[in-house]
Amino acid sequence: MCHVLIIEDEPLVAMAIQDILALQGATSFEIVDTEEAAVSAVAANEPSVITSDVKLLQGTGPHAVAKIHQRLGPIPVIFITGTPEECEPCNPPGSIVPKPFTEQAVVAAFHKVAPLA
């Protein structure tokens, strides 16, 4: 089982990421569009992997990820963003996939971090 938290404020982008990762073996998803929603989401269902944009409707993906890591410990993260230079704090474990992204780039990053057998 691989639950993915997708932190993305563009619904079509979030759905595209979900579709790509579902084909790669991810089994469940939660999509959120703000820093606060991301932090709240992990209380109900701890993710195996996080994908995150940098800029959100409210707050930032990197700050949400930092708060989640502080609460739950390190969870693999893939930052998928049009502003990789603004990814602060952008700490491991994880990688950065620039937008516009290709399916192959997302798949490669996911296989690098996904806890799949």
Side-chain angles (χ1 to χ4, degrees), residues 96-114:
I96 299 176
V97 175
K99 288 181 184 174
F101 59 84
T102 64
E103 181 176 346
Q104 295 82 3
V106 174
V107 167
F110 184 67
H111 282 290
K112 210 180 211 183
V113 301

Side-chain angles (χ1 to χ4, degrees), residues 5-116:
L5 175 62
I6 299 173
I7 307 170
E8 173 59 63
D9 61 354
E10 295 179 46
L12 293 176
V13 173
M15 288 186 291
I17 293 167
Q18 179 176 335
D19 289 346
I20 291 167
L21 299 184
L23 291 172
Q24 300 305 310
T27 54
S28 63
F29 300 89
E30 183 156 3
I31 298 172
V32 296
D33 59 7
T34 68
E35 181 177 324
E36 183 178 334
V39 174
S40 295
V42 301
N45 198 354
E46 185 174 327
S48 304
V49 174
I50 300 169
T51 69
S52 180
D53 196 356
V54 170
K55 294 182 178 182
L56 303 173
L57 291 175
Q58 175 274 317
T60 73
H63 286 128
V65 168
K67 290 175 184 175
I68 292 167
H69 282 169
Q70 186 175 37
R71 180 181 290 177
L72 300 176
I75 295 170
V77 61
I78 305 165
F79 288 100
I80 302 175
T81 181
T83 56
E85 68 283 353
E86 295 180 28
C87 195
E88 290 290 330
C90 197
N91 301 320
S95 59
I96 299 176
V97 175
K99 288 181 184 174
F101 59 84
T102 64
E103 181 176 346
Q104 295 82 3
V106 174
V107 167
F110 184 67
H111 282 290
K112 210 180 211 183
V113 301
L116 299 176

